[in-house]
Amino acid sequence: MPPRTHGLRIGLLSLALGGAAAVAKEQTLSIRDYTGRGFPPDLVQYTLKGEPADAPRLRLFDAGGNPQALQVSSAVAGDGNLTVSFVTPVPADGVALFTLRDDGQGTVPAGGLQVTPRGAALELGNALFTVRLPAECAETYGKAVPATGLPAPILAFRHGAGPWLGAGRVLSAAPVKALTVKLTAAGPVYAELRYEIEWADGGYYRATVQVIDGVPLAKTQRPAAVVGAQPETIARLP
């Protein structure tokens, strides 16, 4: 897999945008670089007060007044907060400025992210990078099956229109009670898939794969990846 992005980038952006703010007719979002390095395009997420009914009216513009692709979601249903997501670089020692409006005027750019079903697989990609993942499923096995017979969290990847590379596989032979693969976000800014194995002897393995519009890699997260008595390597990625 291509290297992950440096964790400091997201941390800095999150701090610059931290806190919740009420949705107003117009709000300025400012992201400043304090490292002297700047950052290439990456996902920025900002939490603000609002209800799902507010989402269709939100519009985002850069400092030049150009509309930007925007993804709006509710992190926790009914908590009164919305998460707005977009992509931006940050210049070295500079500031990326955006204006968020809730007047519903103008259109939201579609972006270049694609989510494409391919039989037993699902491809998440942009013009720079595509990753092939297992298709969505929710399987519960009446009789436990060995994990080696399951699709890996990541099956293959490619750069641009180049050839497919890699061949991910599950290495553990531990018995599995259930497999759940769910697409939790489908663009236009980012797409995300959650993969979960439930072990027959208790515990689970979880992985999340995320692809962002205009970013040439896939991000993987495995929080509390292995819970239960499964000490061996679970999966080998491409």
Side-chain angles (χ1 to χ4, degrees):
M1 284 292 296
R4 299 182 193 176
T5 53
H6 198 292
L8 179 64
R9 178 190 311 173
I10 298 301
L12 284 175
L13 298 183
S14 298
L15 287 172
L17 295 175
V23 176
K25 287 297 181 184
E26 186 170 298
Q27 184 174 353
T28 299
L29 308 181
S30 175
I31 309 168
R32 181 178 296 276
D33 171 52
Y34 292 98
T35 69
R37 300 184 294 143
F39 295 102
D42 206 346
L43 182 68
V44 177
Q45 294 183 305
Y46 182 51
T47 301
L48 61 157
K49 294 294 183 183
E51 300 297 333
D54 300 321
R57 298 195 304 272
L58 293 177
R59 300 290 186 270
L60 184 72
F61 300 88
D62 65 13
N66 302 301
Q68 303 295 299
L70 181 68
Q71 190 164 328
V72 185
S73 58
S74 299
V76 179
D79 71 347
N81 290 325
L82 295 174
T83 299
V84 295
S85 303
F86 57 98
V87 175
T88 185
V90 182
D93 295 318
V95 180
L97 290 174
F98 295 88
T99 299
L100 183 67
R101 299 206 311 246
D102 69 350
D103 56 13
Q105 298 299 309
T107 59
V108 178
L113 190 70
Q114 294 186 343
V115 177
T116 309
R118 299 286 188 194
L122 188 66
E123 295 175 5
L124 311 183
N126 53 49
L128 304 174
F129 183 85
T130 302
V131 64
R132 180 174 289 163
L133 312 172
E136 289 187 280
C137 69
E139 300 285 352
T140 299
Y141 305 105
K143 181 179 179 180
V145 300
T148 48
L150 303 180
I154 296 178
L155 303 176
F157 67 92
R158 70 177 181 181
H159 299 279
W164 287 99
L165 305 172
R169 65 187 188 276
V170 178
L171 301 181
S172 173
V176 173
K177 176 182 179 181
L179 171 67
T180 303
V181 182
K182 183 175 178 59
L183 187 68
T184 56
V189 172
Y190 72 94
E192 189 172 88
L193 182 135
R194 185 176 68 239
Y195 175 105
E196 179 176 319
I197 291 173
E198 184 178 351
W199 303 113
D201 297 332
Y204 55 83
Y205 169 86
R206 290 174 181 163
T208 300
V209 182
Q210 182 187 81
V211 175
I212 303 164
D213 186 24
V215 177
L217 50 80
K219 296 184 181 182
T220 62
Q221 297 180 351
R222 295 181 293 277
V226 182
V227 176
Q230 307 297 337
E232 70 266 55
T233 299
I234 300 302
R236 176 163 296 169
L237 305 181

